[in-house]
Every structure is written in C-alpha cells, then in structure tokens.
Amino acid sequence: MINKCIDILRKNKREHPVSEFPEYGESSMELNNYEFNELMNSLDEKYRTILLLYYGEGFKISEIAQLLDMEENTVKTRLSRGRSKFRELWTVQETVHQN
C-alpha cells in the first residue's frame, strides 16, 4: 500500500495536461483524504509519526532518529511495523467497500 502511495505521489509531481485527467468531483477527493486521514489516525502514534516524517515530509531514517532522539534501528522497525499495520487497515477498508 505504501509503495502504491509513493507511486501516486511520484506521478503527481510530474506535470500532465488537464485533458489527461477524468472529471472527478471535489467531494471524491475530500472523501479519499478523509479515509486516508482516518486510517492514519487509527495507527498508534509512534508509527504514525514516523510514517508522516518519512513519507509526508521526506526525512531520511537517520534524520528521523535524530529528531526523535532514538536509534536508527528503532526507526526502521517502527517504519516497517507502521507500513504493515497501515496495509492491514487498508485491506480491511477495501474489503468493506467492495462488499
């Protein structure tokens, strides 16, 4: 899931003509943002913080370790566990929406 989000972020950084994008209502984007925020808020804060610093702010693992005053291995572990927990939550949410 996280890799999919990274791919989307990378694609969004490139410029595309407006004609390539299908028409979506603003409420659809708001709903997607709301669902993403709900998933992130359901994570334990220790995982959420590291995921946001790593993916949202673009900090490196060593920088996060310095910011949070913890070992790099701890950051790596929490990043990995945070990804797993986010993936689990996303899978559950997708299953609910498909039914």
Side-chain angles (χ1 to χ4, degrees), residues 27-37:
S27 62
S28 176
M29 287 301 288
E30 289 174 9
L31 180 61
N32 289 337
N33 287 337
Y34 176 78
E35 290 172 348
F36 175 79
N37 288 333

PDB file of all heavy atoms in Angstrom, residues 27-37:
ATOM      1  N   SER A  27     -15.800  16.442  -3.934  1.00  0.00           N
ATOM      2  CA  SER A  27     -16.190  15.618  -2.794  1.00  0.00           C
ATOM      3  C   SER A  27     -15.489  14.263  -2.826  1.00  0.00           C
ATOM      4  O   SER A  27     -15.210  13.690  -1.785  1.00  0.00           O
ATOM      5  CB  SER A  27     -17.697  15.439  -2.754  1.00  0.00           C
ATOM      6  OG  SER A  27     -18.136  14.769  -3.911  1.00  0.00           O
ATOM      7  N   SER A  28     -15.180  13.751  -4.017  1.00  0.00           N
ATOM      8  CA  SER A  28     -14.476  12.483  -4.125  1.00  0.00           C
ATOM      9  C   SER A  28     -13.075  12.600  -3.534  1.00  0.00           C
ATOM     10  O   SER A  28     -12.632  11.725  -2.799  1.00  0.00           O
ATOM     11  CB  SER A  28     -14.396  12.044  -5.584  1.00  0.00           C
ATOM     12  OG  SER A  28     -13.633  10.871  -5.695  1.00  0.00           O
ATOM     13  N   MET A  29     -12.376  13.680  -3.844  1.00  0.00           N
ATOM     14  CA  MET A  29     -11.044  13.899  -3.288  1.00  0.00           C
ATOM     15  C   MET A  29     -11.120  14.111  -1.783  1.00  0.00           C
ATOM     16  O   MET A  29     -10.291  13.614  -1.040  1.00  0.00           O
ATOM     17  CB  MET A  29     -10.365  15.095  -3.966  1.00  0.00           C
ATOM     18  CG  MET A  29      -9.902  14.827  -5.374  1.00  0.00           C
ATOM     19  SD  MET A  29      -8.723  13.474  -5.471  1.00  0.00           S
ATOM     20  CE  MET A  29      -7.300  14.248  -4.763  1.00  0.00           C
ATOM     21  N   GLU A  30     -12.120  14.845  -1.342  1.00  0.00           N
ATOM     22  CA  GLU A  30     -12.278  15.073   0.093  1.00  0.00           C
ATOM     23  C   GLU A  30     -12.541  13.759   0.807  1.00  0.00           C
ATOM     24  O   GLU A  30     -12.021  13.523   1.894  1.00  0.00           O
ATOM     25  CB  GLU A  30     -13.415  16.058   0.353  1.00  0.00           C
ATOM     26  CG  GLU A  30     -13.088  17.482  -0.057  1.00  0.00           C
ATOM     27  CD  GLU A  30     -14.285  18.412   0.073  1.00  0.00           C
ATOM     28  OE1 GLU A  30     -15.317  17.988   0.635  1.00  0.00           O
ATOM     29  OE2 GLU A  30     -14.175  19.542  -0.391  1.00  0.00           O
ATOM     30  N   LEU A  31     -13.334  12.898   0.209  1.00  0.00           N
ATOM     31  CA  LEU A  31     -13.632  11.601   0.797  1.00  0.00           C
ATOM     32  C   LEU A  31     -12.368  10.753   0.884  1.00  0.00           C
ATOM     33  O   LEU A  31     -12.106  10.129   1.904  1.00  0.00           O
ATOM     34  CB  LEU A  31     -14.708  10.878  -0.011  1.00  0.00           C
ATOM     35  CG  LEU A  31     -15.124   9.501   0.498  1.00  0.00           C
ATOM     36  CD1 LEU A  31     -15.691   9.618   1.914  1.00  0.00           C
ATOM     37  CD2 LEU A  31     -16.134   8.883  -0.434  1.00  0.00           C
ATOM     38  N   ASN A  32     -11.568  10.742  -0.185  1.00  0.00           N
ATOM     39  CA  ASN A  32     -10.316   9.989  -0.178  1.00  0.00           C
ATOM     40  C   ASN A  32      -9.374  10.506   0.900  1.00  0.00           C
ATOM     41  O   ASN A  32      -8.744   9.721   1.610  1.00  0.00           O
ATOM     42  CB  ASN A  32      -9.633  10.042  -1.544  1.00  0.00           C
ATOM     43  CG  ASN A  32     -10.366   9.232  -2.580  1.00  0.00           C
ATOM     44  OD1 ASN A  32     -11.105   8.312  -2.249  1.00  0.00           O
ATOM     45  ND2 ASN A  32     -10.165   9.563  -3.834  1.00  0.00           N
ATOM     46  N   ASN A  33      -9.257  11.822   1.014  1.00  0.00           N
ATOM     47  CA  ASN A  33      -8.404  12.403   2.044  1.00  0.00           C
ATOM     48  C   ASN A  33      -8.920  12.048   3.432  1.00  0.00           C
ATOM     49  O   ASN A  33      -8.143  11.752   4.337  1.00  0.00           O
ATOM     50  CB  ASN A  33      -8.303  13.921   1.896  1.00  0.00           C
ATOM     51  CG  ASN A  33      -7.453  14.321   0.716  1.00  0.00           C
ATOM     52  OD1 ASN A  33      -6.602  13.561   0.257  1.00  0.00           O
ATOM     53  ND2 ASN A  33      -7.680  15.514   0.221  1.00  0.00           N
ATOM     54  N   TYR A  34     -10.219  12.099   3.604  1.00  0.00           N
ATOM     55  CA  TYR A  34     -10.825  11.767   4.888  1.00  0.00           C
ATOM     56  C   TYR A  34     -10.519  10.316   5.258  1.00  0.00           C
ATOM     57  O   TYR A  34     -10.130  10.023   6.384  1.00  0.00           O
ATOM     58  CB  TYR A  34     -12.338  12.005   4.831  1.00  0.00           C
ATOM     59  CG  TYR A  34     -13.047  11.603   6.088  1.00  0.00           C
ATOM     60  CD1 TYR A  34     -13.003  12.418   7.219  1.00  0.00           C
ATOM     61  CD2 TYR A  34     -13.736  10.397   6.160  1.00  0.00           C
ATOM     62  CE1 TYR A  34     -13.651  12.034   8.389  1.00  0.00           C
ATOM     63  CE2 TYR A  34     -14.377  10.017   7.325  1.00  0.00           C
ATOM     64  CZ  TYR A  34     -14.333  10.834   8.437  1.00  0.00           C
ATOM     65  OH  TYR A  34     -14.950  10.455   9.596  1.00  0.00           O
ATOM     66  N   GLU A  35     -10.686   9.413   4.302  1.00  0.00           N
ATOM     67  CA  GLU A  35     -10.431   7.997   4.564  1.00  0.00           C
ATOM     68  C   GLU A  35      -8.967   7.760   4.898  1.00  0.00           C
ATOM     69  O   GLU A  35      -8.650   7.006   5.825  1.00  0.00           O
ATOM     70  CB  GLU A  35     -10.846   7.150   3.359  1.00  0.00           C
ATOM     71  CG  GLU A  35     -12.340   7.093   3.153  1.00  0.00           C
ATOM     72  CD  GLU A  35     -12.734   6.419   1.855  1.00  0.00           C
ATOM     73  OE1 GLU A  35     -11.860   6.196   1.002  1.00  0.00           O
ATOM     74  OE2 GLU A  35     -13.920   6.117   1.712  1.00  0.00           O
ATOM     75  N   PHE A  36      -8.071   8.414   4.163  1.00  0.00           N
ATOM     76  CA  PHE A  36      -6.641   8.282   4.440  1.00  0.00           C
ATOM     77  C   PHE A  36      -6.323   8.799   5.838  1.00  0.00           C
ATOM     78  O   PHE A  36      -5.613   8.139   6.612  1.00  0.00           O
ATOM     79  CB  PHE A  36      -5.823   9.045   3.389  1.00  0.00           C
ATOM     80  CG  PHE A  36      -4.349   9.042   3.681  1.00  0.00           C
ATOM     81  CD1 PHE A  36      -3.580   7.935   3.394  1.00  0.00           C
ATOM     82  CD2 PHE A  36      -3.744  10.148   4.252  1.00  0.00           C
ATOM     83  CE1 PHE A  36      -2.220   7.923   3.669  1.00  0.00           C
ATOM     84  CE2 PHE A  36      -2.389  10.151   4.530  1.00  0.00           C
ATOM     85  CZ  PHE A  36      -1.626   9.037   4.235  1.00  0.00           C
ATOM     86  N   ASN A  37      -6.858   9.966   6.176  1.00  0.00           N
ATOM     87  CA  ASN A  37      -6.615  10.542   7.499  1.00  0.00           C
ATOM     88  C   ASN A  37      -7.169   9.648   8.605  1.00  0.00           C
ATOM     89  O   ASN A  37      -6.545   9.510   9.663  1.00  0.00           O
ATOM     90  CB  ASN A  37      -7.200  11.951   7.604  1.00  0.00           C
ATOM     91  CG  ASN A  37      -6.404  12.956   6.801  1.00  0.00           C
ATOM     92  OD1 ASN A  37      -5.209  12.783   6.585  1.00  0.00           O
ATOM     93  ND2 ASN A  37      -7.069  14.002   6.350  1.00  0.00           N
TER      94      ASN A  37
END
